[in-house]
Amino acid sequence: MELRCRQNPLLILFTALSCVSGAAAVIHVSGYEGRDVNVSCSYDAGYESYEKYLCKNDCGNADVLITSSQVKNNKYSIYDDNNKRVFTTTISDLSSVDAGKYWCGVTRTGKDYYPAEVRLEVVPDSCCDQSTKIHSNEEGSVSISCSYQSEDQNNLKYICRGTQPSTCLQQALITSNRKQKGRFTLTDDKGSRNFTVTVTSLTQKDSGMYLCGVHRKTGLDVFSAVELEIKVFPTSTVIPTITVETVRSQPANMSAKPINGTSLFHPVVFIVPTVLVLTLLFAFVLLYKYKCHKVQGAGVSVNQNTKAACAEEVTGDADIYANQDVVVYSKQGTSKQHYDDTSGDQQDNDYENFNTTEDIYCNEFYSKGNKR
């Protein structure tokens, strides 16, 4: 490649830097590590058909990175828009070694034309050293407030998730151009230089890092970080507290105390069985008295029947001994007999003795019946 600065032999001592000393402007460009950056250089009319290039440092032949005749190589690509008289060079996969000074050059006879000096800054693709923490509850809403500089009042504002500034605008949840989008609403208060993003119907998935971004036409966008934490309500069941008001009078300095369901359970366990036992015992006593009353009535009937049976038995015994009719009056405790017999007084005495034996037998039988 020919030298980009064609010099007079008398000026051989001049360095290559003197060839570019007449650069018209300085362009500041910033890019993120691992990302791409575009370097755009405008040129004067009349150079539309000339070869353009990007070089670094002193811009000697070895410093030329790419020319418009090459279009593209591994790390660089170039595009010349003749209508706008702007050529743009893209540097891919930036790293810290790419930072430094570059030149936009136009090849021509004699001294090349350098419309601009480029100073490239490479920064890490992360943000930020500090963040604002905001807490809210699930199913609720939250407002994220983001401040900006006065020179950014008319610039585009937006918010995104994550911590990568390089892709934040492309992945913005909402921008100031569209102030309502789903659960997100953006309002811009230019007087206080704050824009606020409100998020509704929060869920646990909304927790995380957010970036508030302000787009700038030159250089990198400006960001601030917000950490949002969504608290989840507990789902465990809570035993309700039960307040019991006592009926008995209390001292003036005492009041009814609330007790929970567990303490109220213990007196119920003892009171209910006790009431049941007393009820059953009372029923048993009534039943017992009722049966005893029936048994006593039945006993009188049994005694009367027993006495009658006894009278019949005695009469039967009298018939066996004397073939006589015997009538026993048990109620009076005496007996009367009529005998049609010619045996005499001796037999009457024998029967009288026998009647006494009958009375003893019947009285003994009655006593046994009553005991029963």
Side-chain angles (χ1 to χ4, degrees):
M1 179 184 294
E2 293 182 354
L3 292 175
R4 293 295 154 184
C5 183
R6 301 178 187 275
Q7 300 176 3
N8 189 295
L10 297 177
L11 303 176
I12 193 70
L13 297 178
F14 284 91
T15 64
L17 184 59
S18 65
C19 298
V20 297
S21 60
V26 177
I27 302 173
H28 294 273
V29 179
S30 300
Y32 296 104
E33 287 183 349
R35 302 294 176 174
D36 301 343
V37 67
N38 294 323
V39 179
S40 296
C41 304
S42 59
Y43 52 87
D44 295 337
Y47 293 100
E48 289 84 357
S49 60
Y50 284 64
E51 182 184 56
K52 286 82 178 178
Y53 60 92
L54 182 71
C55 60
K56 192 175 183 181
N57 297 325
D58 294 335
C59 218
N61 286 347
D63 295 328
V64 175
L65 303 173
I66 191 171
T67 66
S68 57
S69 59
Q70 291 176 289
V71 180
K72 186 177 181 179
N73 60 26
N74 292 334
K75 190 176 179 69
Y76 306 94
S77 63
I78 192 170
Y79 171 72
D80 184 13
D81 188 344
N82 301 128
N83 296 325
K84 295 181 179 180
R85 296 197 302 274
V86 175
F87 72 93
T88 301
T89 303
T90 300
I91 306 174
S92 303
D93 192 19
L94 288 173
S95 65
S96 58
V97 298
D98 293 321
K101 183 172 65 174
Y102 294 79
W103 295 94
C104 297
V106 178
T107 303
R108 67 179 180 178
T109 303
K111 186 173 65 174
D112 287 354
Y113 167 47
Y114 296 94
E117 177 187 348
V118 179
R119 295 179 182 177
L120 176 62
E121 179 186 12
V122 179
V123 298
D125 189 14
S126 62
C127 183
C128 298
D129 294 336
Q130 295 180 348
S131 62
T132 302
K133 293 185 178 181
I134 301 177
H135 302 274
S136 188
N137 295 323
E138 195 174 28
E139 298 181 2
S141 62
V142 66
S143 294
I144 302 173
S145 181
C146 311
S147 61
Y148 56 84
Q149 301 297 322
S150 57
E151 60 267 25
D152 295 322
Q153 286 183 348
N154 298 323
N155 291 347
L156 181 72
K157 288 88 176 179
Y158 57 94
I159 191 170
C160 68
R161 294 202 64 168
T163 59
Q164 284 189 315
S166 62
T167 59
C168 189
L169 181 57
Q170 292 78 10
Q171 300 176 358
L173 300 170
I174 191 171
T175 68
S176 56
N177 289 340
R178 183 181 179 182
K179 297 184 178 181
Q180 178 68 46
K181 185 178 179 182
R183 298 184 296 123
F184 298 87
T185 304
L186 189 150
T187 57
D188 187 6
D189 186 355
K190 294 181 179 180
S192 62
R193 298 193 302 275
N194 280 281
F195 73 93
T196 303
V197 177
T198 301
V199 189
T200 59
S201 303
L202 293 170
T203 65
Q204 188 65 23
K205 295 181 180 180
D206 292 319
S207 297
M209 296 295 297
Y210 291 79
L211 293 182
C212 300
V214 178
H215 181 64
R216 287 181 171 175
K217 295 179 181 179
T218 59
L220 297 176
D221 291 355
V222 181
F223 297 95
S224 59
V226 175
E227 183 179 357
L228 177 60
E229 181 182 357
I230 306 301
K231 297 181 179 180
V232 181
F233 289 111
T235 57
S236 59
T237 304
V238 178
I239 300 176
T241 301
I242 303 174
T243 303
V244 178
E245 295 183 359
T246 57
V247 178
R248 65 179 182 273
S249 61
Q250 296 179 345
N253 59 349
M254 296 182 64
S255 60
K257 295 182 179 180
I259 60 175
N260 57 30
T262 305
S263 61
L264 184 62
F265 177 76
H266 295 289
V268 173
V269 169
F270 294 101
I271 292 173
V272 172
T274 303
V275 172
L276 292 176
V277 170
L278 292 175
T279 303
L280 292 175
L281 183 60
F282 181 74
F284 178 79
V285 171
L286 292 178
L287 181 61
Y288 178 80
K289 289 183 176 181
Y290 175 75
K291 287 186 175 182
C292 288
H293 180 71
K294 290 187 65 178
V295 169
Q296 289 176 358
V300 173
S301 176
V302 169
N303 290 337
Q304 293 176 354
N305 294 334
T306 305
K307 289 180 180 181
C310 189
E312 291 178 359
E313 183 178 357
V314 172
T315 304
D317 291 340
D319 290 338
I320 294 172
Y321 288 101
N323 292 325
Q324 298 294 327
D325 293 332
V326 179
V327 179
V328 179
Y329 299 94
S330 60
K331 291 183 180 181
Q332 285 78 11
T334 59
S335 60
K336 295 180 180 180
Q337 298 87 8
H338 298 278
Y339 302 99
D340 294 331
D341 197 348
T342 58
S343 299
D345 295 336
Q346 184 65 37
Q347 291 180 351
D348 291 339
N349 292 332
D350 293 337
Y351 281 109
E352 288 178 358
N353 292 333
F354 177 75
N355 290 338
T356 302
T357 303
E358 289 174 352
D359 290 339
I360 293 172
Y361 175 81
C362 288
N363 289 332
E364 184 180 359
F365 185 83
Y366 295 156
S367 297
K368 290 182 180 180
N370 287 333
K371 289 181 179 180
R372 294 178 185 177

